[in-house]
Amino acid sequence: MSAPMISLQGLSGTTVFDQSPARAKSGGCASSSCGSSAKPHEMDSAVWEKIKDHPCFSEEAHHYFARMHVAVAPACNIQCNYCNRKYDCANESRPGIVSERLTPDQALRKVIGVANEVPQLSVLGIAGPGDACYDWKNTKATFQRVAKEIGDIKLCISTNGLALPDRVAELAEMNVDHVTITINMVDPRIGAKIYPWIFYGNRRYTGVEAATILHERQMSGLEMLTARGILTKINSVMIPGVNDEHLIEVNKWVKERGAFLHNVMPLISDPAHGTHYGLSGQRGPKAMELKALQDRLEGGAKLMRHCRQCRADAVGLLGEDRGQEFTLDRLPDKVTYDASKRETYRAVVARERGDRLAAKSEALGMVKTAGSGKSLLVAVATKGGGRINEHFGHAKEFQVYEASPKGISFVGHRKVEQYCLGGRAEDKSLDGVISTLEGVDIVLCARIGNCPEDRLKEGGIRATEAYGYDYIETAIGALYAAEFGSEPLAATA
Amino acid sequence: MAFKIIASQCTQCGACEFECPSGAIKFKGETYVIDPKKCTECEGTFETQQCASVCPVSKTCVPA
């Protein structure tokens, strides 16, 4: 199955799959027996059809598909304590931040420009910098224009929910089948600590009164979307001491109302951003606190663990932002949509992902038959395609997986400062990488030098390039079996 | 009487423009501007000035 990988090399602008095909190994089992397991189980096929190419709604899809946001909706109807509307910086990556705002016509030009160059593109989102449902005229005009040109692109929006109930009918008409609502509370007394005011019904409300209105509108919007079969992701900002414990309650409420996915994100509160929380010294959660809360939420609404808290104008796979390559001044004045790259890419992915899913299910079997009660935390350097295909020194983040008797699951990502810059290795950043990888047992990458490998070992972390270009799950399955299993690998095949 | 927008503080989000019942707010050059001839301070239409109520930055949309 390494053959289809080659054709992707010709796709310019692609950052995935550029590994050497000669070394690419599939997880085996490609021929016959495990075809049916190629689709994630416990999900009905209509839902799978909706999410399978959406990087934010499907953890599996985030290895293959890219999203782009167009910042056409700058106006907002509420104020949040973690947001500062004056802050606008091209060098800062965080939710709601953009470097250029677009009119619907400019947005169309940008979407076509990106679709022609980034074959992984599958989703167009409008996520601010204000509220997509409140700044509706711009949102609607953009979606209508883009849908006319690129019929197969998925449309989605992100909203605080206040204006959402007024827009559900039109969202359904426009085939928007993914909506993200930010819900940080179901108790307005807690809401009053997060939202200083809302603008609703031609006046400003504050305090518990404001939070009560917001809460009621969020719940009714969510219920309306569920009734229409529109998938919803709930974003919650985890604010230690304010709503961290409360999010367990939020998770229950949104699950009962049909939310598809719950994404608990850490508060970002750098004082330099000038937000209320930043200035008042409210801290964000540590990576392990976030994971602990997410672990407690397991069993409720399904959790999203692969969120990168991207900018409101991000372009590319999750974890990368190519937005700066597609600013208006870099786009041609006139663009015509050329579907060829996206179509070719999709055909390759269709074959590739079937193979990977088969490999994954085999790897799961491997972990289970290893018969150990132990768990293994594995950090992976990847640039997409679900393979270990990034050099240790080039990684800007590591994807962390946990292998345990329950299976192999993605638990999150850890951002690091790139260790090798322009061929030079930076010792200082290596210290940073080692401390970021705290708790990880082993690092898997395509390549690693002797020096960083030894330094990691001193820090108690093993690293290996032995599984380079393998599927992530295949490698972790084999690794787990080798660590804890009594049977040799071949016995499970 | 009219309201005005302090240009240096304005984030150009445009919420004031579409909330203004008198069509007094327009984007000009680099910022939003309130036409004092058209601005009614929302008197007789709403209890509060819509532009000031929706503005995300305090003391940015103020009496002229």
Side-chain angles (χ1 to χ4, degrees), chain B residues 25-38:
Chain B
I25 305 180
K26 286 277 175 301
F27 192 69
K28 273 194 184 146
E30 292 282 289
T31 188
Y32 285 90
V33 177
I34 300 179
D35 180 347
K37 288 190 205 107
K38 287 189 180 168

Side-chain angles (χ1 to χ4, degrees), chain A residues 107-351:
Chain A
L108 174 65
R109 186 152 68 92
K110 181 165 174 168
V111 175
I112 292 175
V114 171
N116 287 349
E117 293 301 320
V118 181
Q120 299 98 330
L121 182 70
S122 65
V123 169
L124 168 67
I126 297 180
D131 186 85
C133 284
Y134 175 61
D135 207 336
W136 183 245
K137 218 174 87 183
N138 287 327
T139 298
K140 188 176 175 179
T142 303
F143 279 166
Q144 284 175 331
R145 270 161 234 202
V146 172
K148 210 173 131 201
E149 294 290 326
I150 309 176
D152 70 338
I153 200 162
K154 288 190 179 300
L155 306 174
C156 65
I157 61 155
S158 185
T159 175
N160 60 47
L162 184 58
L164 174 63
D166 305 333
R167 307 301 177 204
V168 171
E170 285 171 282
L171 287 168
E173 263 169 48
M174 289 194 293
N175 290 322
V176 173
D177 49 19
H178 302 84
V179 171
T180 296
I181 317 172
T182 301
I183 300 180
N184 299 316
M185 53 89 200
V186 292
D187 178 347
R189 286 169 302 179
I190 290 171
K193 297 178 191 167
I194 302 170
Y195 305 103
W197 58 263
I198 68 165
F199 183 81
Y200 178 68
N202 297 106
R203 59 166 281 211
R204 185 179 280 206
Y205 293 84
T206 58
V208 171
E209 195 186 6
T212 303
I213 296 169
L214 179 62
H215 166 63
E216 285 165 1
R217 298 283 288 175
Q218 287 176 333
M219 293 302 128
S220 108
L222 170 57
E223 286 164 6
M224 290 167 76
L225 292 170
T226 301
R228 296 224 180 217
I230 298 176
L231 293 181
T232 47
K233 172 161 73 69
I234 307 302
N235 277 353
S236 295
V237 182
M238 176 182 178
I239 311 161
V242 176
N243 73 345
D244 44 350
E245 284 295 318
H246 182 58
L247 289 180
I248 293 165
E249 189 67 16
V250 171
N251 183 274
K252 279 188 206 143
W253 279 62
V254 301
K255 186 187 184 183
E256 280 166 17
R257 284 158 186 79
F260 176 70
L261 204 58
H262 192 190
N263 177 24
V264 178
M265 308 179 295
L267 170 71
I268 299 170
S269 63
D270 186 333
H273 301 155
T275 63
H276 172 78
Y277 280 148
L279 298 174
S280 65
Q282 169 65 53
R283 72 174 182 92
K286 295 181 193 123
M288 288 312 276
E289 288 175 319
L290 177 69
K291 182 177 181 296
L293 177 63
Q294 288 172 331
D295 289 347
R296 286 174 69 191
L297 294 174
E298 284 293 350
K302 196 168 140 46
L303 285 189
M304 173 175 185
R305 302 251 193 179
H306 61 284
C307 175
R308 305 296 201 283
Q309 294 184 287
C310 55
R311 295 166 58 98
D313 59 2
V315 174
L317 293 166
L318 298 197
E320 73 172 15
D321 186 0
R322 301 175 58 188
Q324 295 308 308
E325 294 170 43
F326 299 99
T327 49
L328 282 183
D329 57 330
R330 292 180 182 217
L331 290 169
D333 288 338
K334 269 198 119 37
V335 285
T336 314
Y337 176 50
D338 169 11
S340 59
K341 275 188 196 170
R342 289 181 68 235
E343 278 166 10
T344 310
Y345 182 78
R346 276 162 187 266
V348 175
V349 167
R351 293 195 298 271

Side-chain angles (χ1 to χ4, degrees), chain A residues 73-77 79 85-86 101 134-136 197-199 201-204, chain B residues 8-15 18-19 46 48 50 52-57:
Chain A
C76 196
N77 50 357
Q79 178 65 46
R85 305 296 305 286
K86 272 198 74 68
R101 287 165 187 175
Y134 175 61
D135 207 336
W136 183 245
W197 58 263
I198 68 165
F199 183 81
N202 297 106
R203 59 166 281 211
R204 185 179 280 206
Chain B
S8 60
Q9 304 228 72
C10 174
T11 68
Q12 289 110 42
C13 75
F18 66 75
E19 293 296 349
F46 296 110
T48 58
Q50 299 295 290
S53 300
V54 77
C55 182
V57 191

Side-chain angles (χ1 to χ4, degrees), chain A residues 434 437-438 440-443 453 456-463:
Chain A
I434 292 172
L437 291 175
E438 189 194 342
V440 165
D441 296 300
I442 187 158
V443 176
E453 192 180 339
L456 279 168
K457 201 185 275 174
E458 288 163 25
I461 303 166
R462 284 173 292 157

